[in-house]
Amino acid sequence: MIKSGRSLRLGRLFKADETPLFLVPLDHTVTDGPFTDARGYDALLGILADNGADAIVVHKGRLRLLPRSVYAKLSVVVHLSASTKYAADPTFKYQVAEVEDCLRRGADAVSVHVNLGSLTEDRQLRSMAEVADACDRVGLPLLAMLYPRGPGIMDHPQLETLLHAASLAVDLGADIVKLPIGGSVATMKRVVDSCPIPVLAAGGAQVSDHQFGAFVADVMTSGARGLRQRCARSDGCCPSPSTILITRTHRRSRLQATAKWGS
């Protein structure tokens, strides 16, 4: 049977050996501004490619600047959503790129961000549904990044909102969902088990290497399919120690990770 373009691209993201996906977002330069200079950015790409990261997330303009060597080692997800820290409502994520254009530029997948419970939730969900339709037409995988974040979720338990976010991603056509799961392994597992598409855990704030390693172990034990972790430290230095830790550990321990995944 001939595989579809979407399944081939998902296979490039999720390796056949079932090891977890480690996704490093570099798209937050739109939200927060640069975290390093141009030379440091290129050096980071090399570090990630050489130390076991699987994929990066960027905005469309960065695609033409990526070295060919990076494309050979990393999958590239193009983020379609944007807002800046200066906005009156930073939780309003709006679409700044088209699926067909990202495919033409060389994307392996696209991603959208929705803040569940925000004042503009309706527009963000409508945009995600339209992106899912466009992805279906051209065979491009969609990663939905859903965060319960806004006044609408204040009186609701976190687990309830995470379960709802996972369900929304499935119902509106995403292939992968990234969620800010945390807490106990049992809590994470309940969210993961509720979701028929792969779940990625959002890495969250920078913590000590020990804390980060423990979090990664819990994520893997829960059955989540991988992790998305920012690379820059709060002081602007890049890459963070935890990023190097996880990329090197990810590269060294693929067989061990596979064994844990199946346990």
Side-chain angles (χ1 to χ4, degrees):
M1 179 182 293
I2 298 175
K3 290 186 176 182
S4 68
R6 173 180 266 167
S7 64
L8 288 170
R9 294 182 180 98
L10 283 170
R12 180 165 152 78
L13 282 169
F14 294 107
K15 306 298 187 276
D17 60 5
E18 295 298 318
T19 56
L21 171 69
F22 179 46
L23 179 69
V24 180
L26 302 176
D27 57 290
H28 49 284
T29 50
V30 167
T31 303
D32 299 325
F35 53 80
T36 187
D37 59 22
R39 183 174 297 178
Y41 192 98
D42 288 343
L44 171 65
L45 290 173
I47 290 170
L48 295 174
D50 292 339
N51 285 278
D54 296 304
I56 55 173
V57 184
V58 298
H59 279 280
K60 63 180 183 179
R62 295 278 180 179
L63 281 173
R64 60 190 171 87
L65 302 176
L66 296 178
R68 187 171 299 179
S69 59
V70 170
Y71 265 111
K73 296 180 179 180
L74 296 172
S75 295
V76 180
V77 180
V78 177
H79 198 44
L80 306 187
S81 307
S83 68
T84 74
K85 61 185 179 182
Y86 310 114
D89 179 11
T91 65
F92 177 29
K93 299 294 182 178
Y94 42 87
Q95 188 174 333
V96 293
E98 298 296 331
V99 171
E100 291 83 355
D101 183 50
C102 293
L103 177 63
R104 179 182 61 80
R105 290 169 184 255
D108 292 300
V110 295
S111 60
V112 295
H113 182 137
V114 172
N115 286 316
L116 184 65
S118 66
L119 296 175
T120 55
E121 178 197 88
D122 56 338
R123 280 178 274 180
Q124 294 176 55
L125 287 176
R126 186 182 305 114
S127 177
M128 185 175 82
E130 291 171 351
V131 167
D133 289 343
C135 285
D136 193 52
R137 288 193 297 270
V138 302
L140 205 59
L142 171 60
L143 165 61
M145 304 181 181
L146 270 69
Y147 284 83
R149 183 182 290 165
I153 58 105
M154 291 183 64
D155 296 327
H156 297 273
Q158 183 183 34
L159 179 57
E160 174 192 318
T161 60
L162 287 171
L163 289 167
H164 197 160
S167 178
L168 272 173
V170 177
D171 291 336
L172 296 186
D175 298 286
I176 312 164
V177 60
K178 185 202 77 172
L179 299 166
I181 58 175
S184 68
V185 172
T187 298
M188 292 187 196
K189 183 172 173 54
R190 184 169 172 188
V191 176
V192 172
D193 287 349
S194 77
C195 190
I197 62 175
V199 175
L200 303 184
Q206 295 295 337
V207 294
S208 71
D209 288 353
H210 176 75
Q211 290 173 305
F212 186 67
F215 173 71
V216 172
D218 287 347
V219 167
M220 292 171 60
T221 302
S222 76
R225 193 61 180 83
L227 177 74
R228 174 189 178 274
Q229 175 66 19
R230 285 180 63 157
C231 62
R233 298 194 314 218
S234 58
D235 60 5
C237 294
C238 182
S240 67
S242 60
T243 298
I244 299 302
L245 170 71
I246 188 60
T247 52
R248 289 177 178 168
T249 302
H250 187 64
R251 182 179 64 174
R252 287 197 310 264
S253 306
R254 284 186 178 272
L255 291 177
Q256 181 182 1
T258 305
K260 287 184 178 179
W261 203 274
S263 63

